[in-house]
Amino acid sequence: MEWTGGCMCGAIRYEVSGEPFWVGHCHCESCRHHTGAPVVTFVGFKKDQVAFTKGERQIYNSSPGVGRAFCRQCGTPLTWEGESNLPERGEILEFYISTFDDPNAFMPTNHVWYSEKIAWFDVADDLPRYRGFDFDSDLCRKGPVVTERPG
Ligand SMILES: [Zn+2]
Ligand SMILES: [Zn+2]
């Protein structure tokens, strides 16, 4: 399979091939800061599955070894990139799902860093929610926290 995507202004375009190793929601504070969104949804690929076909992304190092790419022209946040904590994955690029031309091509499988979730935010899916990463932390719960609204 092949998918394409890019930034809002079209200066940056990319192409990915094969299956992603992860599609999921991240609630961590760093991702929220990079995007301005209450939660972000990622589609993760190994570096050799990814090709940038147009433009040059700007990379901001949010911590040592971690790059967060964006378009310097329109500001669209594009990726988290760096060395995976799982050695078999090696270097990875995780794309913000809404930068794909067809975000419906992917289906999220879980939530990570649920411990940092914004209190008023949750979504009505039955997916597992992990305290930290899905591969090395506790399951917090399945499904959303149901809050009663007054009135
Ligand atoms: Zn752009
Ligand atoms: Zn995150």
Side-chain angles (χ1 to χ4, degrees):
M1 291 295 288
E2 287 205 344
W3 297 278
T4 54
C7 66
M8 194 174 199
C9 77
I12 313 284
R13 295 289 299 165
Y14 64 80
E15 209 171 271
V16 296
S17 57
E19 291 301 315
F21 59 77
W22 178 57
V23 184
H25 307 288
C26 185
H27 295 268
C28 90
E29 190 178 17
S30 296
C31 287
R32 290 194 273 114
H33 278 161
H34 189 233
T35 59
V39 62
V40 303
T41 308
F42 279 116
V43 188
F45 293 89
K46 294 180 181 181
K47 194 178 184 180
D48 61 8
Q49 293 176 278
V50 175
F52 282 88
T53 52
K54 189 183 170 203
E56 204 181 313
R57 68 201 186 284
Q58 179 87 37
I59 295 176
Y60 169 71
N61 290 110
S62 55
S63 52
V66 173
R68 292 188 182 257
F70 61 98
C71 171
R72 68 166 69 84
Q73 201 166 295
C74 68
T76 302
L78 294 164
T79 67
W80 182 105
E81 40 194 281
E83 198 70 35
S84 171
N85 288 2
L86 295 177
E88 63 269 26
R89 288 183 187 167
E91 278 216 60
I92 58 172
L93 288 90
E94 297 183 337
F95 287 85
Y96 296 124
I97 200 167
S98 299
T99 64
F100 279 93
D101 295 332
D102 180 14
N104 286 306
F106 308 100
M107 190 60 90
T109 59
N110 59 32
H111 296 251
V112 300
W113 293 101
Y114 196 71
S115 54
E116 296 184 15
K117 181 180 76 65
I118 290 182
W120 47 256
F121 183 88
D122 216 334
V123 294
D125 66 39
D126 287 330
L127 298 175
R129 285 138 163 87
Y130 294 94
R131 192 170 310 285
F133 288 119
D134 51 332
F135 49 80
D136 67 359
S137 77
D138 303 333
L139 183 67
C140 291
R141 59 185 293 117
K142 278 191 171 189
V145 175
V146 180
T147 48
E148 294 293 327
R149 292 199 171 272

